[in-house]
Amino acid sequence: MPCETMAIEAHQVCKRFSLGGGSRPLYHLLGGEARKSRLALDRISFALAPGKALAVMGRNGSGKSTLLKILAGVIDPTSGQAVLRGQVGALLEIGAGAHPDLTGWENIRLAARLLQVPPSRRAIYYERTNAFSELGAKLDEPTRWYSAGQYARLGFAMAAMAPTDVLLIDEALSAGDAPFQLKCFDFFYRAKAQGRAFVMVSHATAVLRDLCDDGLVLNEGKAVYTGPVNEAVAHYDTLVLS
Amino acid sequence: MQSEHRTTMIRKAQPPGRLKALWQRREVLLALTFRQIRGRFSKPVVGLIWLVLQPVLLALVFSLFFGLLVRVPSNGMPYPAMVFTGVALWSLVQNAATQGANAYESAAPLLRQAPLPRLYPVLAGVFSATLDSLIALVIALLTGLAFGVHPGWPLLAAPGIVLLAMIAAFGLSALLAVLCGLWRDSRQMVPLGLQVLMFASPVIYPLSLVPQDWQRLYALNPFAGIINALRWSLLGAPAPDPVNFSISALSALVLGMTGLWIFLALEGRAADAL
């Protein structure tokens, strides 16, 4: 498959954090503490075709979330580059994007602008997000009154119902109840058939094996395996057990 | 899909590219500004009362304490109208700076949802602060009228002066945003710093109170010339000294440009904590 049709191409992506994650107390600087840094991602490369899903696996602190944040444009890579084709959406934590002071509906309307839903499709977007979240009258309340599960439903529905071509998801399925998770799986299969691409970070390897095509296993910032998801899960299992 | 033509290039961005992105997503900026206004006041009528009450009460306290008790001179203007103009303009600086200092933290949920210029939360803060300030400035104008002051044609200069204030407040806000993004504890110093800056600006006293020898140096504070010019525009105070005003105006532009430049250069590093 020629490169121009890839949904994501990451090339030698590196991320170096100054110690403390970048936001350090000022007194560290005043105290003349030596500037330490940590290589969180070390030359990560992969390509993902439209309609495919990539599972990113690794132990805690291996750089999974950092990779997703870079792809989502939240943080910048230190070197290397990535190309994402089409509209990008991200769900980097449970209920991400929901502003606690705004009502569910206000959040949905804001999300439509953030995710660049064209004006002609906004009415459909509102309706679908409402239907998918199943929150009903709860959407008239500020989201600070939502339960964790309701927050997760709103966050997922806002990101999933937007016409994104690439969707980045970090452990977003864990908070919903079983019927909602089933609904999400159903959504993934249909969306992939429509040509949408996904990158998913999760520790639930059984789920990843079901939903994803490719796998990327990270260990201490390095890619230790890139390839079909079944082999990736096997690599991850040996990594965890070793 | 319909959005096939959009391509996002992720790499260590350079300021010119970031400047271009600012213009492309302006619709989002509008929505963010609206959110900022709406988020603070969940009920419109109550919100408007808060909005009006804050500067009115502050101006009242200052008028009683500094106008009647300490008897700060007001250079021929009615003291309440004079202090109100100062307070109204200062609310723009204070709100913009405070929201700038919190910009990274408060905008984190949005910045994690979709690629978005990181300057937008700062700009939205400046715009919503300007709206608040404009309402207070109208009340200041009305206070002047109630005291029998008629502004005349200098009133036409008011929008330009407010624009200058916006540029300076934006510069300050952008600087504080990266500063507090890089070193989160520097936020502790923002309220004190703003208080010092307020007393270093002619908010509760007229510019004429500053000794003649110090006027040139004092004019380096952009808000000195801006507030003084605003009193000329709204309250018919004597016209500002052209050289001193030019110094302040230039200082405001330099502050705005410096803030923009430093923000674009450092925003990436400040975002690492998101």
Side-chain angles (χ1 to χ4, degrees), chain B:
Chain B
M1 297 202 90
Q2 42 82 36
S3 48
E4 207 89 63
H5 60 281
R6 283 193 200 110
T7 299
T8 314
M9 187 73 187
I10 302 280
R11 65 175 160 211
K12 204 168 179 172
Q14 300 304 314
R18 290 179 168 166
L19 217 50
K20 200 176 128 199
L22 279 179
W23 178 247
Q24 285 169 339
R25 303 288 308 274
R26 52 196 182 280
E27 197 210 12
V28 176
L29 178 59
L30 222 70
L32 284 183
T33 307
F34 181 70
R35 184 206 74 159
Q36 204 108 17
I37 296 163
R38 187 76 181 74
R40 249 179 313 151
F41 310 117
S42 44
K43 293 189 176 65
V45 180
V46 183
L48 200 67
I49 292 171
W50 280 124
L51 203 66
V52 172
L53 215 59
Q54 272 177 25
V56 167
L57 285 179
L58 199 60
L60 202 68
V61 170
F62 283 155
S63 297
L64 285 176
F65 190 75
F66 294 106
L68 285 175
L69 226 62
V70 187
R71 293 195 181 280
V72 174
S74 61
N75 200 22
M77 292 171 274
Y79 189 87
M82 185 206 78
V83 82
F84 210 136
T85 315
V87 166
L89 197 278
W90 192 253
S91 77
L92 165 57
V93 181
Q94 172 135 7
N95 289 338
T98 310
Q99 287 176 45
N102 295 322
Y104 268 97
E105 192 166 292
S106 58
L110 301 172
L111 293 171
R112 286 176 188 151
Q113 193 177 22
L116 187 72
R118 298 189 190 103
L119 196 61
Y120 276 7
V122 177
L123 282 170
V126 173
F127 289 151
S128 73
T130 305
L131 188 77
D132 295 2
S133 175
L134 284 175
I135 293 171
L137 280 171
V138 170
I139 304 172
L141 182 66
L142 294 176
T143 313
L145 288 173
F147 279 92
V149 171
H150 293 285
W153 66 265
L155 190 60
L156 296 175
I161 300 168
V162 172
L163 185 68
L164 214 51
M166 281 174 77
I167 293 170
F170 160 75
L172 188 64
S173 179
L175 284 175
L176 287 173
V178 278
L179 183 74
C180 297
L182 286 171
W183 299 291
R184 61 184 182 280
D185 59 341
S186 43
R187 210 181 300 162
Q188 310 287 333
M189 296 186 287
V190 171
L192 178 70
L194 282 172
Q195 198 119 49
V196 171
L197 193 59
M198 189 192 92
F199 285 108
S201 308
V203 174
I204 54 166
Y205 53 88
L207 185 68
S208 55
L209 200 71
V210 178
Q212 201 59 43
D213 294 348
W214 291 89
Q215 288 269 351
R216 288 271 188 276
L217 187 69
Y218 190 80
L220 282 174
N221 172 1
F223 304 113
I226 288 170
I227 295 175
N228 188 47
L230 210 52
R231 284 176 180 150
W232 159 73
S233 170
L234 299 184
L235 303 177
D241 176 80
V243 177
N244 286 346
F245 178 73
S246 303
I247 294 174
S248 282
L250 201 67
S251 180
L253 294 177
V254 169
L255 180 58
M257 291 307 289
T258 310
L260 177 66
W261 187 73
I262 290 184
F263 187 92
L264 293 177
L266 294 179
E267 60 161 309
R269 274 212 273 162
D272 279 357
L274 284 176

Side-chain angles (χ1 to χ4, degrees), chain A residues 116-135:
Chain A
Q116 309 201 56
V117 180
S120 59
R121 297 191 54 172
R122 279 188 192 156
I124 305 168
Y125 173 70
Y126 299 152
E127 189 189 313
R128 284 187 183 163
T129 308
N130 175 24
F132 196 90
S133 70
E134 297 172 14
L135 288 169

Side-chain angles (χ1 to χ4, degrees), chain A residues 48-57 91 132 156 160 167-174 178 180-216 227-230 232-233:
Chain A
L48 185 69
K52 300 284 183 193
L54 174 76
V56 183
M57 288 166 271
L91 198 55
F132 196 90
F156 190 89
L167 195 54
L168 312 163
I169 301 172
D170 195 347
E171 289 288 4
L173 294 178
S174 42
F180 189 70
Q181 289 203 3
L182 281 177
K183 197 171 177 172
C184 292
F185 290 166
D186 183 53
F187 157 78
F188 281 124
Y189 289 123
R190 279 189 292 121
K192 276 171 65 182
Q194 289 166 3
R196 296 169 72 176
F198 295 91
V199 178
M200 284 186 220
V201 165
S202 180
H203 293 283
T205 47
V207 172
L208 291 177
R209 217 196 298 250
D210 271 359
L211 293 177
C212 297
D213 309 274
D214 303 338
L216 171 65
V229 71
N230 284 322
V233 170

